[in-house]
Amino acid sequence: MRQDDRVTDPDASLDPAAPDLDPAAMRKHYRAEGLAERDLADGPVEQFARWFRQAAAQAHLFEPNAMIVSTADGDGRPSARTVLLKQFDDRGFVFYTNYESRKARDLAENPYVSLLFPWHPMARQVIVTGVARRTGRDETAAYFRTRPHGSQLGAWASGQSSVIASRAELDASYAELAARYPEGAEQVPVPPHWGGFRVAPSTVEFWQGRENRLHDRLRYVAEPDGGWRVERLSP
């Protein structure tokens, strides 16, 4: 009998009570090289660029620019979602969204945000905290023009975070836009309700998994004079 033939009920392998799915028994023993203060770049953006290049080129991550964006509304109620990083430099980390989405509404009430890059295959994380501000319309338009045609239409078709009656409603909206703006013909205008946020960091933590859960955690903290100090956190 082939190994595949042994599974007769696909749902049986998903039994949460199965011992091999006990989350308390799931653990990886990290043995990666550590992260020492002497090896850090002068600033967090340069250090992020180093790790980002390694995540993209060496770890074969599906989307190394995927990050978890955590926000809280004016009453402190949190929410989180995965968003793609589209640019980073000394000014901050940029992502794009519908300005009527939940995350954008949260940021309008409370601009403090956290970004988490979960690079699990490398036993690494980068955690950014800071303040999010909208990018300028010229910058937004320049990025919008680089998006695939379908993604440009999607920015119009989706009322992000709003309740819709069905998938068919969304598909119909997209089809109508595709007929109005066929690829290679009329340029798709930039939606007025869509644009970027730039997160200016106040702290950037670099987390490296180590053996026995004694991880290395080095955090850059912004200073009033524009410089950065580095502090080590206990794991």
Side-chain angles (χ1 to χ4, degrees), residues 78-89:
S79 61
R81 74 290 292 161
T82 302
V83 176
L84 297 180
L85 174 73
K86 290 302 178 181
Q87 180 187 350
F88 67 92
D89 56 27

Side-chain angles (χ1 to χ4, degrees), residues 136-143:
R137 293 309 293 173
D138 289 346
E139 184 176 356
T140 289
Y143 169 70

Side-chain angles (χ1 to χ4, degrees), residues 13-30:
S13 63
L14 300 179
D15 180 0
D20 60 336
L21 290 181
D22 178 8
M26 294 178 178
R27 53 176 56 89
K28 295 290 185 181
H29 297 285
Y30 306 133

